Amino acid sequence: MSTPVVIASIALALSVASLSWQAWSWWWSGPIIKVTGASDSPIFEGQQSDLGYHYIQAVNTGRAAATIEAFGIVLPSGLKPVRHRQEELDAVEPCTLPYRIEPHSSARWYFTPQIFQGENPEETRPFVVVAGKGEREGKKFFH
């Protein structure tokens, strides 16, 4: 091979590597939302509640803030009951929606078991709706 072909091949390889790195960096520079769901007895006004509620938690591990517009669960039947506000629960401080989650922080939304509509909670998955990004689903509850 001639010298210009070798130089052009090296330049092409470095360009592709640089473009790949920039695309990867851009993709991971925004908000990264991880969603979980479980049961808890929340603390309200310094007291542990004796009522068992379920919650959906969104954790932003990314480098930019995200806005959560709604939350809900995916039932085994495929239905997706969505909430645009947290229920009025006596033992829980409301986390109003839309809610802005800053980088490296989290938020929880509590709800009563009625959202499961009689289906087994262990077979459902939590989700949140992120503004401009769509739905982010978590793993099954209690797993």
Side-chain angles (χ1 to χ4, degrees):
M1 274 200 266
S2 66
T3 304
V5 172
V6 171
I7 292 173
S9 299
I10 292 171
L12 179 62
L14 291 175
S15 297
V16 169
S18 175
L19 184 60
S20 300
W21 172 254
Q22 289 174 11
W24 183 85
S25 296
W26 176 81
W27 177 259
W28 289 103
S29 66
I32 301 170
I33 304 297
K34 297 187 189 298
V35 182
T36 57
S39 294
D40 192 12
S41 294
I43 296 175
F44 181 67
E45 296 179 351
Q47 298 291 328
Q48 183 84 27
S49 171
D50 59 348
L51 302 171
Y53 294 123
H54 297 285
Y55 69 85
I56 291 175
Q57 179 170 313
V59 178
N60 184 1
T61 59
R63 297 186 334 188
T67 300
I68 305 298
E69 296 179 330
F71 68 92
I73 60 169
V74 180
L75 298 173
S77 63
L79 293 175
K80 289 185 172 183
V82 178
R83 300 277 192 253
H84 293 282
R85 66 180 182 86
Q86 181 170 276
E87 297 174 29
E88 299 296 325
L89 304 175
D90 294 335
V92 178
E93 285 190 38
C95 197
T96 59
L97 292 168
Y99 187 84
R100 182 179 168 95
I101 300 180
E102 295 299 325
H104 306 288
S105 63
S106 64
R108 281 186 181 179
W109 293 274
Y110 287 89
F111 55 91
T112 57
Q114 284 79 10
I115 195 173
F116 293 117
Q117 300 179 2
E119 300 209 32
N120 183 358
E122 293 181 4
E123 296 300 317
T124 61
R125 292 184 317 278
F127 73 89
V128 296
V129 178
V130 182
K133 299 280 187 178
E135 290 182 6
R136 295 289 187 264
E137 283 188 15
K139 294 180 181 176
K140 290 183 179 179
F141 272 82
F142 314 111
H143 286 196

